[in-house]
Amino acid sequence: MTDLELIAEVKKGSRSSQEILVRRHYKLVYSFLYRMMGDKELAKDLTQETFIKLLNNITKFQPSSDFKSWLLTVASNHAKDFLKSKAHKESQNTYELYENDDTRTVKSVSSIFEKNEKRKEMKRALETLPDFQREAILLKYYNEMKISEIAAVTNTSVPTVKSRLKQGLKKLEHYLKRGDLDEQHRNG
């Protein structure tokens, strides 16, 4: 069944279609929220809450819309609401990139270490960005969304998304170059 067929069945009250729809898109939402929030347990909680919101508001979904974009909009708005909440302000979160390594392709311990170091370096670089720039970069490069889709998810204009991406990438480049120079000074 397609997403639209599942949604039509969910609107009629089908529990099995709800389960299929959630299972089909759980990883997408979880990985997006994990990258946004940096905490696995928090991402799991927010993912579950996102799907509850989604199912409670499924009647608002218009078949002419892109379901993936609508779903990520719900997830993005829920994450933003959480970041504004008292619960978030009282907690400290760490940020890790979602790992999706195929261990069969890893050739040696040194390559594992190198990949891990690069991942940690990128994690630290992403943490330096404002939330709105990090969100745009994650949607573009980790969720492979088009700029127009990102604009819809973030409720901004296409030029704003382009600006956020350009500024965010420039900051990442600066941060990563600075890290390379620091390492050269330590080793030099």
Side-chain angles (χ1 to χ4, degrees):
M1 290 182 90
T2 67
D3 286 342
L4 292 178
E5 292 169 333
L6 285 171
I7 291 166
E9 291 299 310
V10 170
K11 287 180 178 181
K12 293 177 187 174
S14 170
R15 295 274 184 211
S16 61
S17 294
Q18 285 181 2
E19 291 176 25
I20 294 168
L21 192 64
V22 170
R23 268 189 271 128
R24 184 178 288 176
H25 296 286
Y26 185 90
K27 187 175 179 180
L28 169 74
V29 173
Y30 171 77
S31 61
F32 170 71
L33 290 170
Y34 178 47
R35 289 181 184 118
M36 281 298 295
M37 308 310 287
D39 181 292
K40 289 179 182 182
E41 292 305 313
L42 177 58
K44 285 179 187 177
D45 290 344
L46 293 177
T47 300
Q48 289 177 354
E49 293 166 5
T50 295
F51 280 107
I52 290 169
K53 280 186 173 185
L54 170 95
L55 294 172
N56 287 336
N57 293 293
I58 198 77
T59 56
K60 295 179 182 175
F61 176 73
Q62 298 299 316
S64 60
S65 303
D66 178 56
F67 179 70
K68 180 180 161 185
S69 294
W70 189 69
L71 176 58
L72 288 175
T73 299
V74 173
S76 175
N77 289 338
H78 189 57
K80 288 173 187 174
D81 290 344
F82 176 79
L83 289 171
K84 293 175 191 172
S85 74
K86 183 178 179 184
H88 170 69
K89 291 176 182 167
E90 292 174 356
S91 67
Q92 291 290 334
N93 294 319
T94 57
Y95 183 88
E96 292 179 34
L97 289 175
Y98 182 76
E99 295 182 31
N100 191 13
D101 286 335
D102 183 355
T103 54
R104 291 168 287 160
T105 62
V106 177
K107 303 230 186 311
S108 68
V109 172
S110 64
S111 68
I112 293 171
F113 180 75
E114 187 175 314
K115 275 185 174 181
N116 199 26
E117 287 302 308
K118 286 180 181 177
R119 188 177 294 111
K120 286 179 181 176
E121 185 178 7
M122 182 56 76
K123 169 189 157 276
R124 287 188 297 269
L126 283 166
E127 286 175 340
T128 65
L129 297 178
D131 291 339
F132 60 90
Q133 289 174 351
R134 181 171 58 237
E135 178 183 40
I137 287 172
L138 292 174
L139 289 170
K140 174 76 173 150
Y141 297 103
Y142 288 89
N143 294 92
E144 299 175 1
M145 293 184 81
K146 296 176 184 166
I147 290 176
S148 59
E149 293 172 322
I150 298 168
V153 167
T154 59
N155 196 28
T156 58
S157 66
V158 168
T160 298
V161 172
K162 288 180 179 179
S163 173
R164 289 176 178 180
L165 287 169
K166 183 178 179 179
Q167 291 172 0
L169 290 172
K170 190 173 234 175
K171 288 177 184 176
L172 285 176
E173 180 182 22
H174 177 72
Y175 180 90
L176 294 171
K177 280 183 181 177
R178 190 178 73 215
D180 287 344
L181 290 174
D182 290 347
E183 187 175 325
Q184 288 173 2
H185 289 289
R186 283 193 300 268
N187 296 332

PDB file of all heavy atoms in Angstrom, residues 30 51 56 60 64-65 75 95 106 112 116 131 148 150:
ATOM      1  N   TYR A  30      12.841   9.367  13.693  1.00  0.00           N
ATOM      2  CA  TYR A  30      13.777   9.180  14.794  1.00  0.00           C
ATOM      3  C   TYR A  30      15.155   9.754  14.448  1.00  0.00           C
ATOM      4  O   TYR A  30      15.746  10.492  15.233  1.00  0.00           O
ATOM      5  CB  TYR A  30      13.905   7.699  15.160  1.00  0.00           C
ATOM      6  CG  TYR A  30      15.020   7.462  16.135  1.00  0.00           C
ATOM      7  CD1 TYR A  30      14.862   7.763  17.487  1.00  0.00           C
ATOM      8  CD2 TYR A  30      16.259   6.970  15.716  1.00  0.00           C
ATOM      9  CE1 TYR A  30      15.904   7.580  18.386  1.00  0.00           C
ATOM     10  CE2 TYR A  30      17.285   6.783  16.601  1.00  0.00           C
ATOM     11  CZ  TYR A  30      17.110   7.086  17.937  1.00  0.00           C
ATOM     12  OH  TYR A  30      18.154   6.913  18.813  1.00  0.00           O
ATOM     13  N   PHE A  51       4.455  10.863  16.406  1.00  0.00           N
ATOM     14  CA  PHE A  51       3.484   9.986  15.757  1.00  0.00           C
ATOM     15  C   PHE A  51       2.114  10.065  16.423  1.00  0.00           C
ATOM     16  O   PHE A  51       1.087   9.951  15.740  1.00  0.00           O
ATOM     17  CB  PHE A  51       4.007   8.548  15.684  1.00  0.00           C
ATOM     18  CG  PHE A  51       4.967   8.354  14.548  1.00  0.00           C
ATOM     19  CD1 PHE A  51       6.319   8.218  14.778  1.00  0.00           C
ATOM     20  CD2 PHE A  51       4.514   8.337  13.234  1.00  0.00           C
ATOM     21  CE1 PHE A  51       7.212   8.056  13.725  1.00  0.00           C
ATOM     22  CE2 PHE A  51       5.391   8.181  12.169  1.00  0.00           C
ATOM     23  CZ  PHE A  51       6.740   8.039  12.422  1.00  0.00           C
ATOM     24  N   ASN A  56      -3.306  11.887  15.637  1.00  0.00           N
ATOM     25  CA  ASN A  56      -4.411  12.706  16.137  1.00  0.00           C
ATOM     26  C   ASN A  56      -4.839  13.775  15.139  1.00  0.00           C
ATOM     27  O   ASN A  56      -5.962  14.271  15.208  1.00  0.00           O
ATOM     28  CB  ASN A  56      -4.049  13.364  17.474  1.00  0.00           C
ATOM     29  CG  ASN A  56      -4.033  12.366  18.614  1.00  0.00           C
ATOM     30  OD1 ASN A  56      -4.681  11.323  18.556  1.00  0.00           O
ATOM     31  ND2 ASN A  56      -3.288  12.677  19.650  1.00  0.00           N
ATOM     32  N   LYS A  60      -6.150  16.364   9.027  1.00  0.00           N
ATOM     33  CA  LYS A  60      -5.702  17.642   8.464  1.00  0.00           C
ATOM     34  C   LYS A  60      -4.777  17.459   7.257  1.00  0.00           C
ATOM     35  O   LYS A  60      -4.518  18.409   6.528  1.00  0.00           O
ATOM     36  CB  LYS A  60      -4.974  18.463   9.531  1.00  0.00           C
ATOM     37  CG  LYS A  60      -5.883  18.884  10.672  1.00  0.00           C
ATOM     38  CD  LYS A  60      -5.112  19.659  11.710  1.00  0.00           C
ATOM     39  CE  LYS A  60      -6.023  20.034  12.878  1.00  0.00           C
ATOM     40  NZ  LYS A  60      -5.272  20.677  13.961  1.00  0.00           N
ATOM     41  N   SER A  64      -2.950  16.103  -1.545  1.00  0.00           N
ATOM     42  CA  SER A  64      -2.152  16.820  -2.541  1.00  0.00           C
ATOM     43  C   SER A  64      -0.774  17.207  -1.995  1.00  0.00           C
ATOM     44  O   SER A  64       0.114  17.598  -2.745  1.00  0.00           O
ATOM     45  CB  SER A  64      -2.891  18.072  -3.006  1.00  0.00           C
ATOM     46  OG  SER A  64      -3.131  18.932  -1.896  1.00  0.00           O
ATOM     47  N   SER A  65      -0.587  17.087  -0.683  1.00  0.00           N
ATOM     48  CA  SER A  65       0.692  17.426  -0.038  1.00  0.00           C
ATOM     49  C   SER A  65       1.634  16.227  -0.066  1.00  0.00           C
ATOM     50  O   SER A  65       1.211  15.085  -0.229  1.00  0.00           O
ATOM     51  CB  SER A  65       0.462  17.825   1.418  1.00  0.00           C
ATOM     52  OG  SER A  65      -0.422  18.897   1.517  1.00  0.00           O
ATOM     53  N   ALA A  75       7.324  16.754  13.103  1.00  0.00           N
ATOM     54  CA  ALA A  75       8.473  16.422  13.950  1.00  0.00           C
ATOM     55  C   ALA A  75       9.285  17.675  14.293  1.00  0.00           C
ATOM     56  O   ALA A  75       9.682  17.882  15.446  1.00  0.00           O
ATOM     57  CB  ALA A  75       9.360  15.399  13.247  1.00  0.00           C
ATOM     58  N   TYR A  95      25.040  15.867  21.806  1.00  0.00           N
ATOM     59  CA  TYR A  95      24.628  15.660  20.426  1.00  0.00           C
ATOM     60  C   TYR A  95      25.569  14.672  19.752  1.00  0.00           C
ATOM     61  O   TYR A  95      26.769  14.844  19.799  1.00  0.00           O
ATOM     62  CB  TYR A  95      24.680  17.002  19.694  1.00  0.00           C
ATOM     63  CG  TYR A  95      24.206  16.917  18.277  1.00  0.00           C
ATOM     64  CD1 TYR A  95      22.870  17.069  17.974  1.00  0.00           C
ATOM     65  CD2 TYR A  95      25.094  16.668  17.255  1.00  0.00           C
ATOM     66  CE1 TYR A  95      22.438  16.993  16.682  1.00  0.00           C
ATOM     67  CE2 TYR A  95      24.662  16.596  15.958  1.00  0.00           C
ATOM     68  CZ  TYR A  95      23.331  16.757  15.680  1.00  0.00           C
ATOM     69  OH  TYR A  95      22.905  16.665  14.392  1.00  0.00           O
ATOM     70  N   VAL A 106      34.339  -2.006   6.803  1.00  0.00           N
ATOM     71  CA  VAL A 106      35.438  -1.457   7.593  1.00  0.00           C
ATOM     72  C   VAL A 106      36.628  -2.387   7.470  1.00  0.00           C
ATOM     73  O   VAL A 106      36.539  -3.571   7.749  1.00  0.00           O
ATOM     74  CB  VAL A 106      35.005  -1.277   9.071  1.00  0.00           C
ATOM     75  CG1 VAL A 106      36.172  -0.785   9.890  1.00  0.00           C
ATOM     76  CG2 VAL A 106      33.847  -0.322   9.149  1.00  0.00           C
ATOM     77  N   ILE A 112      38.302   2.571  11.528  1.00  0.00           N
ATOM     78  CA  ILE A 112      37.193   2.766  12.462  1.00  0.00           C
ATOM     79  C   ILE A 112      37.467   4.003  13.312  1.00  0.00           C
ATOM     80  O   ILE A 112      36.603   4.853  13.488  1.00  0.00           O
ATOM     81  CB  ILE A 112      36.999   1.533  13.372  1.00  0.00           C
ATOM     82  CG1 ILE A 112      36.531   0.340  12.552  1.00  0.00           C
ATOM     83  CG2 ILE A 112      35.984   1.828  14.481  1.00  0.00           C
ATOM     84  CD1 ILE A 112      36.521  -0.962  13.316  1.00  0.00           C
ATOM     85  N   ASN A 116      35.353   7.485  13.324  1.00  0.00           N
ATOM     86  CA  ASN A 116      34.777   7.938  14.584  1.00  0.00           C
ATOM     87  C   ASN A 116      35.241   9.352  14.914  1.00  0.00           C
ATOM     88  O   ASN A 116      34.456  10.186  15.366  1.00  0.00           O
ATOM     89  CB  ASN A 116      35.135   6.960  15.706  1.00  0.00           C
ATOM     90  CG  ASN A 116      34.226   7.092  16.892  1.00  0.00           C
ATOM     91  OD1 ASN A 116      33.088   7.518  16.772  1.00  0.00           O
ATOM     92  ND2 ASN A 116      34.737   6.720  18.046  1.00  0.00           N
ATOM     93  N   ASP A 131      20.207  26.617  16.098  1.00  0.00           N
ATOM     94  CA  ASP A 131      19.252  25.542  15.800  1.00  0.00           C
ATOM     95  C   ASP A 131      18.693  25.629  14.387  1.00  0.00           C
ATOM     96  O   ASP A 131      18.584  24.619  13.693  1.00  0.00           O
ATOM     97  CB  ASP A 131      18.092  25.548  16.805  1.00  0.00           C
ATOM     98  CG  ASP A 131      18.528  25.144  18.196  1.00  0.00           C
ATOM     99  OD1 ASP A 131      19.591  24.484  18.330  1.00  0.00           O
ATOM    100  OD2 ASP A 131      17.822  25.481  19.152  1.00  0.00           O
ATOM    101  N   SER A 148      12.845  23.579  -1.395  1.00  0.00           N
ATOM    102  CA  SER A 148      11.422  23.934  -1.277  1.00  0.00           C
ATOM    103  C   SER A 148      10.739  23.089  -0.195  1.00  0.00           C
ATOM    104  O   SER A 148       9.858  23.582   0.516  1.00  0.00           O
ATOM    105  CB  SER A 148      10.708  23.750  -2.613  1.00  0.00           C
ATOM    106  OG  SER A 148      10.809  22.408  -3.061  1.00  0.00           O
ATOM    107  N   ILE A 150      12.280  21.863   2.481  1.00  0.00           N
ATOM    108  CA  ILE A 150      12.787  22.394   3.753  1.00  0.00           C
ATOM    109  C   ILE A 150      12.026  23.652   4.131  1.00  0.00           C
ATOM    110  O   ILE A 150      11.675  23.849   5.298  1.00  0.00           O
ATOM    111  CB  ILE A 150      14.309  22.662   3.673  1.00  0.00           C
ATOM    112  CG1 ILE A 150      15.072  21.366   3.413  1.00  0.00           C
ATOM    113  CG2 ILE A 150      14.811  23.335   4.953  1.00  0.00           C
ATOM    114  CD1 ILE A 150      16.526  21.565   3.032  1.00  0.00           C
TER     115      ILE A 150
END
